[in-house]
Amino acid sequence: MIFLFSSEENSMSKFQLNLEDLSGTPPPANSPLASTQQEFAETMRNRPTIVIVVGMAGSGKTTLMSRLHRSLTVEKSIPSPSAQREAQREAQREAQREAQREVCVASGYYVNLDPATKSMPFGVNIDIRDTINYHEVMKQYNLGPNGAIMTSLNLFSTKFDQVLEIIEKRASDAGNPLDYILIDTPGQIEAFTWSASGSIISEGLATSFPTVMAFIVDTPRATAPSTFMSNMLYACSMLYRSRLPLVVVFNKTDVTPCEFAIEWMQDWEKFQEALEENNNQDGYYGSLTRSMSLCLDEFYRGLKFAGVSAASGEGVGDFFKIIDEARGEFMELYLPDLLLRREEQVQKKMAKVRVGAKNLIGDMKNDPNGDQNPNPNPTTQNNNKNNINNNNGKKLPETYNSTFHGDGLIVSRMPYTRVESPPGVVKNLSVVSFGASSFSNFFNPDNDTDNTAEEREAGCVDTVVCAIRGGINLIDTAPWYGHGESEKVLGKAFAKIPRNAFYLQTKVGRYEADPAKGKMFDFSFQKTIDSVNNSISVMKCGYLDVAQIHDPEFSPNLDIIVNETLPALDELRKEGKIRAIGMTGYPLEVQRELIERSSVRIDQSLTYAHNSLHCGGELFKSFQPFLAERKMALLSAAPLSMRLLTTLGPPEWHPAHEGLKTASKKAVEYCVENGVDIVKLATIYSCSFAHPDGIATTIIGCKNVEECESALENGRLLLDYVNGNGNGKGGGGGEVDIGRLPLSDKEKEVLGHILNVIFGPESGVKGIWEHKNVV
């Protein structure tokens, strides 16, 4: 059996369907695949009216919104249409309206979609400015005012399902029913009406509520026939683009009455006379205006309009009456079309499901072990091609997921390193990766007494989501981290992230710290199998991209790893439960020996604290060339050397020798004296080695969203450096060009002093420590 979820707005439904049925004929008409038209229409009838208010800059749109807000909230002068709809007979309706005018007034809900407005003259319930910082968008994406408005709307539209949920919740409050939901849009009208985000927002609203478009016209300006015609053409284009009922609202009638406009729409000859009287309407433009007036004659016949003064409030009652009429038009004419389009979408989805089901049945018949391999072909695990372009032409990794990442602008700011691991499978790894060891008390003692365990866990989940949404696409964890807690937290986070949006690697071999609970190290064949299966189950991830041998230097002997651990991982790889095999550990000589002895293909190596400020390029002297000969990827972790290069200082158990601890403390103090952040220096330095022939990625532990955003920003700073900036190869070859690093002159000076003096060759400081077990 298969479970399918229909994501149609407000009709989330769960269905159990038989694969054989799906592979054949479509479901019958009475199938529970979607709500019936009758049920959907009935739901719509009981919902408030959405009014999307659009208008050109200066038309008085926001002022009118303020007046509507005052009429509904302060003056309470508009009768409630929801109460009126309860009347059963037309004869009783007028009497009931008068009887209920004082006690049953209309209520409103207000949404602002203009990110550039400085202030709102009325209170709003949902404000785009609470989510999107317009000026930061201009700054981060190097955009002008209009481009920033469109980008802000694009970003906001990716979260509009959450806005709908909020509106749904408020609209469903039976004790305090809503009548109108007023949506204010940007004054740059084309930013909403002709953008993809505008279509997404308006269609999302229309599939959930009766929706009307109100086009605000600046009446004094429209006295010129050409300006009037421009407004009408814009109104006509919005009607056909949105496929929603349209109301034309002539504003500022206290300055210029709108009777002339109504007369022009109802009497073609009157408009022609106005053209003749206007001396500026000769020639080609006048001829075009006359022709267009003929074309729009049919448009005028069905057009609803009202005259309003936002300043005095005159005509507001007529406005709401026209809106109610347009709502009826939506229910009578537009809803059937909406239902038809909705049914077509359902049928298209079902057709895809049937094709997928038929293919799945064939695969299951041909592959008796198919249920053990959720995705046997590692080259097709993502729904995106390698290095696809976003709409700005920038390269995006294969882990880019348009549903999760949106338009890809944020992802495109992260530099990626192209590696083949295993050979033949191309990955583009973010230069900064997420280390989930931070979800334990190894480096962060559990002294958070201000938050409950549930709140701390929720914070960890938010941190993972922040990392992947920000462009990080590799997560590293282990059963040892928090003795299972790290993997449990990741399992909850992955419920919010598409599986193809990240690579996941965990480890085998190291487990419990308490001997009473079991072995700390167990590299046996069966334990390795059980560990991988348990990790997949706990994290609910389907498969692992890489399974790594955790700290093999602490194995009783290396024979067990060669004869049991590696063969077990190779078997799991053949089954499709893992895609690649990795080696980890601090002493490079142990990794080298195991790689040389193994008959099983090892795809990558991960080491830690070997590419930090104090290491002097030790990693590149012999080990990196050794891996390159075998086409193995090299990953690095702990650029801060497990808190050694932080103002907090190393934990008590830190294995570094006293000379290195003393020198590291000097480096930290030197940075503090010069007002430089050593965390930024250490991170930028380590990540700058990113290159296909260098470090594939640097893994950084982040225990909260703040630390995650800092790591993301440091990674983004390296975009030009890693990409070569036209004159280099980034960090390949084990050398860093300090002059090209994205640092200030002061930061470069401090970095140079740390590398050449504090940890330089003449300092006598040994940058590598002897490996020893740490509990």
Side-chain angles (χ1 to χ4, degrees), residues 337-602:
D337 176 65
L338 175 63
L339 290 170
L340 180 60
R341 284 184 278 150
R342 188 169 175 264
E343 182 64 24
E344 290 175 352
Q345 292 176 353
V346 170
Q347 292 302 325
K348 288 179 181 179
K349 290 180 180 179
M350 284 304 303
K352 291 181 180 180
V353 170
R354 286 193 292 274
V355 172
K358 189 176 292 184
N359 293 337
L360 179 58
I361 292 170
D363 292 343
M364 292 173 66
K365 290 178 179 177
N366 295 329
D367 182 10
N369 296 320
D371 60 328
Q372 298 178 3
N373 187 357
N375 197 350
N377 185 356
T379 63
T380 59
Q381 63 179 330
N382 298 299
N383 64 348
N384 300 288
K385 300 270 182 82
N386 292 333
N387 280 325
I388 64 173
N389 292 329
N390 70 350
N391 52 14
N392 288 328
K394 294 187 177 181
K395 298 293 185 181
L396 297 173
E398 61 284 353
T399 48
Y400 164 68
N401 183 297
S402 58
T403 302
F404 180 76
H405 291 110
D407 58 13
L409 288 173
I410 295 177
V411 176
S412 68
R413 295 174 58 210
M414 173 64 68
Y416 295 87
T417 307
R418 186 181 187 276
V419 298
E420 290 191 23
S421 178
V425 178
V426 176
K427 298 178 182 177
N428 291 275
L429 299 181
S430 52
V431 298
V432 174
S433 292
F434 187 87
S437 63
S438 51
F439 298 157
S440 67
N441 61 359
F442 295 157
F443 311 109
N444 310 293
D446 189 10
N447 56 5
D448 184 358
T449 57
D450 296 330
N451 298 297
T452 65
E454 291 78 10
E455 289 171 335
R456 291 195 296 271
E457 183 179 84
C460 293
V461 169
D462 291 342
T463 303
V464 178
V465 174
C466 171
I468 304 304
R469 201 178 295 281
I472 287 176
N473 66 353
L474 175 65
I475 298 174
D476 179 85
T477 187
W480 163 253
Y481 298 154
H483 311 305
E485 289 303 314
S486 176
E487 290 189 338
K488 290 179 182 178
V489 170
L490 289 176
K492 295 184 178 181
F494 293 159
K496 300 184 177 183
I497 308 172
R499 179 61 182 90
N500 62 3
F502 61 91
Y503 295 112
L504 175 63
Q505 58 186 41
T506 190
K507 305 177 183 72
V508 298
R510 188 166 194 174
Y511 306 103
E512 296 289 348
D514 185 355
K517 295 182 180 179
K519 294 181 179 179
M520 178 185 294
F521 296 99
D522 189 342
F523 296 96
S524 66
F525 185 97
Q526 190 57 49
K527 180 61 176 178
T528 300
I529 298 288
D530 293 342
S531 178
V532 168
N533 287 330
N534 183 69
S535 292
I536 293 174
S537 175
V538 169
M539 291 189 284
K540 303 177 180 65
C541 56
Y543 62 92
L544 300 174
D545 292 285
V546 187
Q548 306 166 102
I549 301 174
H550 199 171
D551 294 342
E553 61 266 31
F554 300 118
S555 172
N557 60 74
L558 298 185
D559 292 341
I560 190 173
I561 294 176
V562 174
N563 298 325
E564 296 195 40
T565 314
L566 284 165
L569 292 177
D570 193 38
E571 182 174 307
L572 291 164
R573 177 165 55 185
K574 292 175 181 177
E575 292 177 0
K577 293 184 177 180
I578 68 174
R579 304 298 163 80
I581 297 173
M583 190 71 66
T584 75
Y586 185 78
L588 304 181
E589 61 274 14
V590 174
Q591 288 202 45
R592 180 193 290 265
E593 180 180 345
L594 284 170
I595 293 169
E596 289 176 333
R597 290 180 58 186
S598 175
S599 60
V600 173
R601 165 75 196 177
I602 302 175

